[in-house]
């Protein structure tokens, strides 16, 4: 910095100080603290926003036009135990603009300023993580240019902005079997809102609410099955059609896990397998098929494409069962590894002692479209996520670590059963990961500044993703 620049910087600081003093004198003792906080906090935010100028990518940036300017319009103070927020106007080089609300970590009331804002992740270096290979020429797929789904905006009316949790207020994005629509699931149990959104245009539809579990499409894509409260004391297993009309309600007791298959909807209750036949309507009574041959432990149940062979969790193991032949197999799963930690010098290493807590472990299961392999993911915020590939009969084929730590949601296969797409959350971030099932190599496809979560279409040629801001984007998923 030369002498002229130093003088100019010093002059601006004195001007800012003079403005603050004048405002304080005129505001009186009560409003003085608020004005001081607002003034200093806006300066703080503007410094953070400078790192975003000129960048392109996903939210909060337009994927084509770089960000030219970001103005702090207002600071909104939260109450006790609540978050503050800043209303910021993003102005792009092509002249367009967008106003967004950015969450801020609760400030220290004795002094202005925050240690964290909802935009800080966009300034975080995009670095390689253990077990995840950054996008390279060897990656089997690449991501194309994102396309924002403007017609999805009504779905997010009233949803919190940047840095809400889950991302953008969205829990999951669930494609229809035909790849023409997604269910946007968001909220907390007992208050989950489900919206059906046609991907290529059309009005979103809010489905009957009160959902307490994630929805699942029927095998033919004509209906959606989920558990919801509809006025009674207990949740009810329900199927609705694409118009949001209730097709049937199962009037039994609590349901532990369920999975639509071509000829029926299977579900587990009290360790037994039950079914509701395709074509059911009205208030229906399920039929008990049989007791499951090994102890049921959670709501995770995954059928193969035929609907005959089931994979489910039993204790801390994987169980396989064929409902057409009665064949069963129990497969012991490895104990979860502790998460890898980062030293002050930036290197990653296993912790010196301790191990992951098995009670917090989440298991997710998916059959390959050809029905020959089962993908199972173990993950926890403090464990090292692990992808296990088994053959149809339960023999372990491959063991693949997925980053240093963090959750992983349901794995998704490409239609040719060769690649797996996974949404991971390592190091408190978000990464879009693809795994070559034959080689076991995991590629991180995320772009710098994205921090997006997404879901792979059944056709395997595009993702639907959401960033920190409540908005949806379609991204081409192109094979090399």
């Amino acid at each position: 910095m030369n002498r002229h620049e130093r003088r100019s910087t010093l002059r601006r600081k004195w001007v800012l100080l003079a403005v603050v003093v004048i405002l304080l004198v005129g505001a009186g003792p009560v409003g003085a603290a608020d004005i001081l906080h607002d003034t200093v906090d806006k300066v703080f935010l503007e410094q953070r926003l400078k790192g975003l100028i000129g960048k392109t990518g996903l939210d909060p940036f337009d994927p084509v036009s770089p960000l030219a300017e970001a103005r702090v319009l207002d600071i909104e103070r939260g109450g006790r135990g609540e978050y503050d927020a800043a209303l910021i106007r993003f102005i792009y080089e092509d002249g367009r603009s967008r106003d967004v609300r950015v969450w801020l970590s609760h400030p220290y009331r004795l002094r202005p300023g925050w240690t964290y804002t909802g935009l800080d992740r966009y300034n975080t270096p995009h670095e390689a993580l253990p077990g995840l290979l950054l996008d390279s020429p060897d990656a089997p797929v690449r991501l194309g240019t994102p396309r924002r789904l403007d017609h999805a905006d009504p779905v997010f009316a009233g949803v919190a902005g940047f840095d809400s949790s889950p991302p953008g207020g969205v829990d999951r994005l669930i494609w229809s079997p035909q790849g023409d629509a997604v269910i946007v699931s968001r909220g907390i149990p007992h208050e989950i809102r489900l919206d059906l959104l046609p991907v290529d245009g059309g009005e979103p539809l809010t489905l009957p609410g009160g959902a307490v579990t994630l929805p699942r499409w029927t095998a033919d894509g004509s209906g959606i099955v989920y558990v919801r409260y509809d006025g009674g004391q207990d949740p009810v297993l329900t199927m609705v059609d694409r118009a949001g009309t209730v097709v049937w309600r199962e009037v039994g007791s609590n349901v532990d896990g369920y999975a639509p298959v071509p000829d029926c909807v299977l579900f587990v209750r009290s360790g037994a397998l039950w079914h509701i036949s395709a074509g059911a309507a009205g208030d229906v009574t399920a039929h008990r098929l049989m007791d499951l041959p090994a102890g049921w432990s959670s709501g995770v149940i995954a059928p193969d494409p035929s609907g005959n062979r089931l994979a489910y969790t039993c204790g801390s193991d994987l169980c396989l069962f064929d409902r057409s032949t009665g064949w069963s197999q129990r497969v012991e799963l490895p104990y979860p590894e502790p998460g890898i930690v980062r030293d002050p010098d930036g290197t990653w290493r296993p912790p010196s002692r301790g191990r992951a807590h098995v009670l917090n472990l989440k298991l997710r299961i998916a059959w390959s479209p050809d029905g020959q392999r089962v993908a199972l993911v173990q993950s926890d915020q403090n464990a090292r996520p692990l992808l296990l590939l088994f053959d149809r009969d339960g023999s372990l084929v491959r063991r693949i670590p997925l980053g240093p730590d963090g959750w992983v949601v349901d794995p998704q296969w490409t239609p040719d059963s060769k690649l797996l797409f996974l949404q991971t959350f390592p190091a408190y971030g978000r990464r879009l990961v693809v795994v070559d099932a034959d080689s076991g190599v995991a590629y991180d496809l995320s772009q710098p500044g994205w921090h997006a979560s997404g879901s792979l279409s059944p056709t395997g040629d595009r993702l639907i993703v959401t960033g920190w801001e409540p908005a949806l984007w379609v991204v081409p998923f192109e094979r090399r």
Side-chain angles (χ1 to χ4, degrees), residues 181-364:
V182 293
I183 300 173
V184 181
S185 171
R186 53 189 175 82
I188 60 176
H190 306 271
E191 299 178 9
I192 291 179
R193 172 174 163 174
L194 303 177
D195 291 283
L196 179 63
L197 178 72
V199 173
D200 295 315
E203 294 297 320
L205 171 70
T206 299
L207 301 178
V212 295
T213 56
L214 291 176
R216 296 181 181 272
W217 289 88
T218 57
D220 63 1
S222 64
I224 303 112
V225 179
Y226 54 100
V227 176
R228 71 183 184 98
Y229 284 97
D230 62 354
Q233 182 177 358
D234 298 319
V236 177
L237 184 64
T238 305
M239 175 181 167
V240 301
D241 60 21
R242 283 189 172 226
T245 303
V246 175
V247 177
W248 55 253
R249 300 165 65 252
E250 200 276 325
V251 295
S253 58
N254 193 46
V255 173
D256 295 320
Y258 53 94
V261 297
D263 62 329
C264 65
V265 174
L266 297 172
F267 68 91
V268 176
R269 173 182 290 149
S270 302
L273 189 66
W274 300 67
H275 87 286
I276 298 171
S277 298
D283 288 349
V284 300
T285 301
H287 297 283
R288 184 188 181 107
L289 291 177
M290 62 193 74
D291 290 335
L292 289 172
W296 175 261
S297 64
S298 75
V300 180
I301 179 171
D304 74 352
S306 72
N308 288 321
R309 186 155 295 194
L310 307 178
Y312 61 97
T313 53
C314 44
S316 58
D317 295 335
L318 168 69
C319 282
L320 301 172
F321 172 63
D322 196 303
R323 66 187 181 106
S324 62
T325 65
W327 172 89
S328 66
Q329 178 77 358
R330 184 167 184 148
V331 182
E332 184 177 353
L333 298 177
Y335 198 91
E337 300 177 6
I340 297 178
V341 298
R342 192 198 304 257
D343 284 335
D345 64 1
T347 60
W348 293 86
R349 63 171 177 81
S352 57
R353 60 181 179 176
R355 57 182 184 176
H357 202 299
V358 70
L359 294 180
N360 296 326
L361 198 67
K362 302 296 183 185
L363 300 177
R364 296 291 183 263

Side-chain angles (χ1 to χ4, degrees), residues 49 52-56 60-62 65-70 89-93:
L49 290 166
L52 307 180
I53 304 302
K55 292 186 177 180
T56 58
F61 322 112
D62 187 276
S65 181
L67 186 66
E69 184 181 356
R89 176 165 297 164
F90 291 93
I91 303 171
Y92 304 100
E93 290 185 359

